[in-house]
Amino acid sequence: MALLRNGYRVEYEDMALAFTEAPTSANALMRQRFRWSFGILQAILSIREFRAQGCAGFVALPNILISRFCCR
């Protein structure tokens, strides 16, 4: 979001490579998923423009919360 606010563009690159590390156990995977879900919630709540949308915020935020935390 900060990149977009500062005038940068995000483009698709089909030849991009990413080197990642995967959890080695089911417990580590569940902890990682929880961190990701909590991080998404923090990001959503930190966006003032999203909260200022009024009715859209009342519909979209609960939908995001339900889909991220209750449907897993």
Side-chain angles (χ1 to χ4, degrees):
M1 298 303 292
L3 292 173
L4 294 175
R5 283 190 200 117
N6 289 325
Y8 291 95
R9 288 185 352 185
V10 178
E11 295 184 6
Y12 174 75
E13 175 55 56
D14 60 344
M15 298 298 291
L17 294 176
F19 297 94
T20 62
E21 295 180 10
T24 57
S25 68
N27 190 28
L29 176 64
M30 295 310 292
R31 286 195 323 257
Q32 180 188 56
R33 295 288 304 225
F34 177 76
R35 284 193 310 271
W36 285 353
S37 296
F38 190 68
I40 289 170
L41 178 61
Q42 286 179 320
I44 290 168
L45 293 175
S46 71
I47 300 171
R48 278 188 223 116
E49 294 86 8
F50 183 79
R51 291 192 317 245
Q53 293 301 315
C55 185
F58 284 117
V59 173
L61 185 57
N63 183 32
I64 292 167
L65 292 173
I66 290 169
S67 66
R68 291 300 296 172
F69 294 105
C70 297
C71 298
R72 297 284 173 202

